[in-house]
Amino acid sequence: MEQHQKPTVVITGASSGVGLYAAKALAERGWYVVLACRDLAKAQKAAQAVEIPYNSYTSIHIDLGSLESVRQFVKNFRASGKSLDALVCNAAIYMPLIKEPLRSPEGYELSVATNHLGHFLLCNLMLEDLKKSSSSEPRLVILGTVTHNPDELGGKIPPRPDLGDLQGFAEGFKEPITMIDGKKFEPVKAYKDSKVCNVLTMRELHERYHKSTGIIFNSLYPGCVAETPLFRNHYPLFQKIFPLFQKYITGGYVSQELAGERVAAVVADPEYNQSGVYWSWGNRQKKDGKSFVQKVSPQARDDDKGDRMWELSAKLVGIA
Ligand code: NAP
């Protein structure tokens, strides 16, 4: 019974890393958490391991790489009878070492399909649920990253994200197309491009729906969470050295617990009720530990690009 009086948040990719610790931090703030995950047994085990109280969460299956699965998730969520007060788009894959693109069931390149197109469809479908929230300020939060922004220290390492004129999207994004800009496959760039789309999606959602719905749309860079399994597909040596480099050289390192706290704050705390903004604690973790609204990259603040990205993504996910 108790759980129905709590506000409800859906978090995608809550079976590890930032999403898992955000779920824990939100449960501690009195929220009921829906772990939207592709491996439910793993999600349950992870939630138990970090001691999220059993009566403050449930899990529902979603594979963000499959549009069919995203649609089924929304049906299952609605069938559960829960209201939706916040949605956190957190799940992501990063596969820096693959030589050939992997494909989603719909035939799209898999990192962009998972990180961007799956979330793009989910956001559009779940707007209806957020509109029905009894909260005075329902929120939709999309995880960003410093690597989306070549103007920032953490974003300077090549390859640079570049959506070009979105020729790859315009041409249907299926074989032989592998990248949004229609150019040669580059897996690290595919990840960065998908994160540019995440920030553009947040800004477009704000432009299109904030005034009419009151929903707060925002993004955040939680810091470099160098010890999450996001880097599981990198060289083992990289996985060892990267956290040390971030801790002792760049100063960008944050723990998974702190990153989870930051997501929870952006979802739940009154001071984060600005819409259309990107929250950051600084690339080198400003010493006072305070958050600030950070300028996003030139591509991610390009309104024309945002509009084109929206129209083409809507076609690719079948809602145009
Ligand atoms: P992580 O530990 O690898 O977590 C990623 C989550 O996404 C996992 O739960 C994973 O599920 C899930 N996922 C992957 N593919 C999925 C799919 N097809 N369907 C459903 N769920 C899927 O990575 P993380 O570091 O916490 O990253 C979380 C978010 O933070 C990402 O958006 C990332 O861009 C952002 N971020 C991370 C950092 C960092 O330094 N780590 C910095 C800035 C931003 P499985 O457990 O089943 O694999």
Side-chain angles (χ1 to χ4, degrees):
M1 287 301 284
E2 190 206 357
Q3 68 200 39
H4 294 296
Q5 288 147 22
K6 297 178 174 185
T8 299
V9 56
V10 166
I11 306 179
T12 67
S15 55
S16 78
V18 178
L20 175 63
Y21 284 89
K24 180 175 163 69
L26 281 160
E28 281 164 2
R29 278 170 162 78
W31 284 64
Y32 189 73
V33 186
V34 177
L35 313 173
C37 296
R38 60 179 168 177
D39 181 340
L40 295 187
K42 181 177 175 185
Q44 290 287 343
K45 227 170 145 182
Q48 281 165 19
V50 300
E51 298 179 343
I52 305 179
Y54 75 93
N55 58 351
S56 58
Y57 72 93
T58 188
S59 53
I60 302 180
H61 183 265
I62 190 168
D63 178 352
L64 266 308
S66 154
L67 298 176
E68 180 55 41
S69 173
V70 171
R71 291 184 187 281
Q72 189 58 49
F73 169 83
V74 174
K75 280 187 196 150
N76 292 344
F77 175 80
R78 288 179 184 160
S80 76
K82 290 180 177 51
S83 69
L84 184 69
D85 304 296
L87 169 63
V88 180
C89 296
N90 163 80
I93 48 169
Y94 176 55
M95 293 174 299
L97 302 181
I98 59 171
K99 302 278 182 249
E100 294 297 326
L102 302 172
R103 295 281 168 186
S104 74
E106 288 81 15
Y108 303 142
E109 187 281 315
L110 193 61
S111 5
V112 170
T114 305
N115 305 353
H116 165 56
L117 292 172
H119 280 132
F120 181 84
L121 177 61
L122 185 69
C123 290
N124 273 281
L125 297 177
M126 296 209 102
L127 269 180
E128 292 312 309
D129 303 86
L130 284 170
K131 281 184 201 163
K132 292 182 195 147
S133 164
S134 55
S135 158
S136 58
E137 45 181 49
R139 297 189 193 178
L140 192 163
V141 177
I142 306 181
L143 267 286
T145 174
V146 71
T147 57
H148 96 274
N149 192 351
D151 285 356
E152 291 288 316
L153 179 67
K156 288 206 185 300
I157 303 161
R160 284 172 160 246
D162 184 5
L163 307 187
D165 196 23
L166 294 103
Q167 300 91 323
F169 269 6
E171 286 167 32
F173 205 48
K174 293 187 183 173
E175 224 169 323
I177 308 290
T178 57
M179 299 291 287
I180 297 175
D181 62 7
K183 295 195 178 145
K184 191 170 164 273
F185 182 61
E186 214 307 336
V188 175
K189 181 174 175 296
Y191 172 79
K192 292 182 181 181
D193 286 353
S194 74
K195 300 307 287 186
V196 173
C197 287
N198 284 161
V199 181
L200 281 174
T201 300
M202 176 278 288
R203 293 188 63 252
E204 281 293 311
L205 282 163
H206 167 75
E207 284 301 318
R208 289 164 189 253
Y209 299 110
H210 174 64
K211 268 204 189 116
S212 60
T213 64
I215 298 169
I216 289 156
F217 303 98
N218 57 28
S219 283
L220 74 152
Y221 169 55
C224 182
V225 206
E227 278 159 351
T228 74
L230 188 68
F231 308 101
R232 61 173 86 81
N233 296 313
H234 220 306
Y235 296 114
L237 187 62
F238 175 91
Q239 295 179 40
K240 242 191 197 150
I241 290 174
F242 188 53
L244 299 173
F245 177 72
Q246 292 295 344
K247 240 182 217 174
Y248 301 114
I249 311 286
T250 69
Y253 172 90
V254 294
S255 67
Q256 300 186 73
E257 286 86 347
L258 181 55
E261 266 303 323
R262 288 175 172 179
V263 174
V266 171
V267 169
D269 292 0
E271 60 266 37
Y272 292 95
N273 68 356
Q274 261 187 80
S275 185
V277 301
Y278 180 91
W279 293 101
S280 176
W281 284 257
N283 191 37
R284 292 167 193 233
Q285 308 308 308
K286 279 188 0 188
K287 285 203 175 62
D288 61 8
K290 288 206 179 112
S291 56
F292 60 97
V293 170
Q294 192 170 36
K295 202 171 181 179
V296 299
S297 76
Q299 280 196 95
R301 57 176 192 267
D302 179 334
D303 292 340
D304 291 340
K305 196 160 272 195
D307 202 43
R308 183 161 161 80
M309 181 282 305
W310 184 280
E311 299 303 331
L312 293 172
S313 300
K315 273 193 193 142
L316 294 176
V317 304
I319 56 169

